[in-house]
Amino acid sequence: MQRQFSRSSIWLWIATALSIGVLAVTSIFVTKSIQREADSWQWVVHTREVLERLQMVLTSINSAEAAQRGFLVSGAEEHFAAYRQEAEAVPEEVDRLHALTADNPGQQKRIQELRLLIAQRVSLLENVLQLKLQGVEIDPALLESGRQQKAAIVGRAGAIRAEEQRLLQERQSRVERARQELVIAVGAVFALSFGLLILLRTLAERDAARLRLESEQLRTARLQLLEANQMLEQRVQERTEQITEANAELQGFAHTVAHDLRAPLRNVEGFAAALLEDESERLSEEGKLFTSRIQAAVARMDRLITDLLAYSHLSRSELQLRQVDVGRVMQTVQRDLEAQINETGARITIEEPMPRVWANEGMLVQVLANLLSNALKFVAPGKHPQVHISTVAVSGKARILIADNGIGIDPVHRERIFRVFERLHGQEQYPGTGIGLAIVKKAIERMGGTVEVDNVLEGGTRFAIELPVAPRSNG
C-alpha cells in the first residue's frame, strides 16, 4: 500500500511539474503573441497614417490648382488668397509625409522625387498666375507642361501609395498570424488545464489518501489559470485602446475627405462667376439670379466645411497650454476683424489692463474672434454695434466679459446656441453656419474653462468666459 502511495505521489508530482512547466511556457508564448499582435497593429496604424498624409499632400496641391484656376477665371481675391494659403501649405504637408517614412529609405527617395515634382508644379502655377496679373496671354504650351507635371505627380504618388498598400497588406497579414497564434496559445492553455483536471481526478479516485494533496495542486493550477486569464483581459483592454486610436485616425481621414470637397466647390464658384462676367448679356434676369444664388450657396458651403474642420480639429488636436496675454490676443482679433468693424461702424471699448491666462493662444484668438464677430453681426437693422470688453478676477480665475447692444438671446435658447448647427435666425436675415458658438464652447472646455451667456439690461447679450489666471513673470 505504501509503495502504491509512493508511486501515485511520484506520478502526481511528475504530472503536476510537467503541467506547470508547460503552462508557464505556454503563458510566455501567449504574452509574446499578444506583444507581436500589438506591434504589428501599430505598424498597420502607421501605414494608414502615411496613406492619409499622402492624400493630404495631393489634396493641398489640388486645392492650390483649383484656387488658381478660380482666380484665372474670375479674378476674385478670395481665390487668390486661397491659392496662396494652399500653395504655402504644400511643402509642410510633404515634410510631414517625409518624416513619417523615416524608417523606409525607398519611400524617402520616392517622396524626395515627389517633392521636386510638386515644387516644379507650384512654380509653374505661380508663373501662370504672374502672367495673368501682368495681362500677358498664357502660352498653351505652359498648360500642356502643367498637365504633364500633374501626371508625373500622380504617377509618383501612385508608386508611394502602392508601396504603402503593399506594406499595409503585409502588416495586416502579420496581425492575422499573431491573432491565430494567440488563439492557438489560449486554446493550449485551456486544453492543458482541462487535461490537468482530468489527471488529478483520476489520481484522486485511485488514491483517496492523496485527495487533499491533489486538491491543493488543483487549487494552485486554478490560480495560475486565473492569473493567465487576467493577463489576457489586460491585453484585450490594451488592444481595445489601440482600436480606439485607430478610430481617431479614421476621423482624421474623414477630415481629409471634407477637405477635398473644397476643390469642386471652388470650381463651381469659378464657373458661376465666369457666367456672370462673360455671359451676362446672354443671361436673363432670372438666370443671373439663379447664378448669384449658386455663388451664395457655394460660399455658405465653403464656410460650413471650414467651420466643421475647425470643430473637428478642436477634438483631435494636441493641446498645449501656456501663459497668454489677453490684451495681445484682443489686438490680434481686432486686426483680423478690421474690415468688418469698419463696415459696420462698430465702437469697441476695452478696459485695461487685461490679465494673463493659462490657455492656448490660437484657440483663444478663435474664441474671441467668433464672439466679437457675432456681436458685430447680430444687431438690429440701422443700428451701429457697440461692444464692451472687460475682465474681473474670480477665485483664481479670469472672467472675460464681452457685452454688446445686439438683438439679445431668449433665455430658453441659451443652451441650444452652443450646439452644432443650431441657428435661431434665418440665413437671409443673419447668415452663418451655426457652428461658431459650438467651437467657442468646445475650445473653452478643452482649455479647462467655462462659458456662459445672459442678456444685459439695456438690451443685447453678454458672454462670460472663465479661464485660469496665469501669474505674471518677473522678467
Side-chain angles (χ1 to χ4, degrees):
M1 190 72 172
Q2 183 66 35
R3 177 179 295 180
Q4 213 172 14
F5 279 141
S6 299
R7 191 173 294 171
S8 299
S9 299
I10 292 173
W11 281 111
L12 178 62
W13 282 108
I14 292 175
T16 303
L18 287 175
S19 300
I20 293 175
V22 175
L23 180 63
V25 171
T26 308
S27 299
I28 294 173
F29 184 74
V30 168
T31 302
K32 291 186 176 297
S33 297
I34 293 174
Q35 186 61 48
R36 282 196 298 272
E37 182 179 6
D39 293 341
S40 300
W41 184 255
Q42 288 178 354
W43 280 109
V44 168
V45 171
H46 172 78
T47 306
R48 290 175 177 170
E49 186 177 359
V50 172
L51 289 170
E52 177 186 345
R53 186 59 60 183
L54 175 61
Q55 183 61 40
M56 293 180 72
V57 170
L58 296 177
T59 297
S60 293
I61 189 65
N62 288 338
S63 297
E65 292 174 354
Q68 187 243 33
R69 287 195 298 271
F71 177 75
L72 294 179
V73 172
S74 65
E77 285 297 326
E78 56 267 24
H79 291 305
F80 184 83
Y83 161 75
R84 288 295 187 205
Q85 180 181 356
E86 296 295 343
E88 292 173 0
V90 171
E92 297 178 2
E93 296 294 344
V94 176
D95 289 341
R96 295 190 184 101
L97 177 63
H98 189 267
L100 283 174
T101 58
D103 60 300
N104 192 327
Q107 289 291 70
Q108 292 262 292
K109 180 179 178 182
R110 296 183 187 96
I111 292 171
Q112 287 290 11
E113 295 171 353
L114 179 63
R115 185 198 302 273
L116 179 60
L117 291 172
I118 289 176
Q120 293 172 351
R121 179 60 177 152
V122 172
S123 176
L124 181 60
L125 291 175
E126 183 65 24
N127 290 339
V128 172
L129 190 64
Q130 292 301 323
L131 291 175
K132 171 67 176 179
L133 293 174
Q134 296 169 9
V136 178
E137 183 178 355
I138 299 173
D139 187 356
L142 283 178
L143 301 179
E144 178 59 28
S145 176
R147 284 190 286 270
Q148 293 175 358
Q149 290 177 347
K150 183 62 179 294
I153 291 172
V154 171
R156 183 51 51 194
I160 297 172
R161 182 181 290 105
E163 174 63 14
E164 291 299 327
Q165 291 288 358
R166 184 190 67 79
L167 291 173
L168 179 61
Q169 184 176 5
E170 177 182 314
R171 290 163 180 172
Q172 286 176 332
S173 298
R174 291 178 189 169
V175 171
E176 185 61 30
R177 286 197 300 271
R179 185 180 295 114
Q180 293 173 355
E181 292 174 357
L182 179 60
V183 171
I184 293 173
V186 172
V189 170
F190 283 101
L192 176 62
S193 300
F194 184 73
L196 178 59
L197 290 175
I198 293 177
L199 177 62
L200 291 176
R201 177 65 180 266
T202 302
L203 293 175
E205 291 175 350
R206 291 177 55 188
D207 194 349
R210 305 296 298 177
L211 180 60
R212 181 177 299 176
L213 178 60
E214 292 175 351
S215 299
E216 185 65 22
Q217 292 173 341
L218 179 60
R219 188 180 70 84
T220 301
R222 285 175 175 171
L223 288 176
Q224 292 174 344
L225 179 60
L226 178 61
E227 291 176 356
N229 288 337
Q230 290 175 345
M231 182 179 63
L232 287 175
E233 291 175 358
Q234 180 181 357
R235 294 299 183 183
V236 169
Q237 182 178 0
E238 293 174 356
R239 219 180 129 210
T240 301
E241 292 173 354
Q242 293 171 355
I243 293 174
T244 302
E245 294 176 359
N247 287 336
E249 293 181 355
L250 289 177
Q251 292 178 1
F253 179 73
H255 168 89
T256 303
V257 173
H259 196 273
D260 289 343
L261 291 175
R262 283 180 163 166
L265 279 177
R266 287 173 179 149
N267 285 338
V268 171
E269 184 180 9
F271 287 128
L275 279 175
L276 288 177
E277 181 179 346
D278 300 335
E279 304 293 334
S280 177
E281 295 181 358
R282 291 195 289 173
L283 285 174
S284 65
E285 290 302 321
E286 188 176 19
K288 294 177 183 178
L289 176 61
F290 289 160
T291 306
S292 299
R293 288 182 177 177
I294 289 173
Q295 288 182 306
V298 168
R300 286 198 303 272
M301 186 65 178
D302 187 68
R303 287 196 302 271
L304 178 61
I305 292 173
T306 299
D307 288 348
L308 282 174
L309 292 178
Y311 187 79
S312 174
H313 180 72
L314 287 177
S315 301
R316 298 182 297 101
S317 61
E318 182 179 353
L319 188 63
Q320 295 182 350
L321 303 181
R322 62 183 182 86
Q323 295 185 14
V324 177
D325 187 340
V326 178
R328 185 175 65 184
V329 169
M330 284 307 308
Q331 292 175 2
T332 301
V333 170
Q334 290 184 88
R335 185 171 60 250
D336 293 343
L337 298 178
E338 183 177 2
Q340 188 178 358
I341 293 172
N342 294 335
E343 180 182 351
T344 58
R347 180 174 173 230
I348 299 174
T349 57
I350 301 176
E351 290 187 12
E352 299 285 354
M354 304 294 282
R356 297 172 68 88
V357 296
W358 198 253
N360 179 278
E361 185 167 353
M363 280 191 179
L364 188 56
V365 167
Q366 186 175 20
V367 165
L368 294 178
N370 284 3
L371 293 177
L372 184 55
S373 177
N374 281 354
L376 299 177
K377 178 171 61 173
F378 291 100
V379 293
K383 192 174 184 180
H384 293 294
Q386 295 185 13
V387 185
H388 182 74
I389 301 172
S390 60
T391 58
V392 293
V394 181
S395 302
K397 291 189 176 182
R399 190 175 179 87
I400 306 172
L401 305 174
I402 301 98
D404 61 49
N405 65 336
I407 59 177
I409 299 174
D410 193 315
V412 300
H413 298 314
R414 289 178 184 170
E415 293 297 327
R416 284 183 51 201
I417 61 174
F418 293 109
R419 301 173 188 166
V420 179
F421 298 127
E422 286 289 348
R423 292 179 50 81
L424 305 182
H425 307 281
Q427 185 70 232
E428 296 77 10
Q429 186 179 8
Y430 296 104
T433 61
I435 304 177
L437 289 180
I439 291 175
V440 169
K441 184 175 178 63
K442 175 69 73 174
I444 291 298
E445 289 177 348
R446 287 214 62 195
M447 292 187 288
T450 60
V451 57
E452 300 174 354
V453 60
D454 57 13
N455 291 341
V456 294
L457 294 177
E458 58 273 18
T461 306
R462 181 176 65 182
F463 284 87
I465 297 171
E466 281 192 7
L467 288 170
V469 174
R472 291 186 178 272
S473 60
N474 294 328

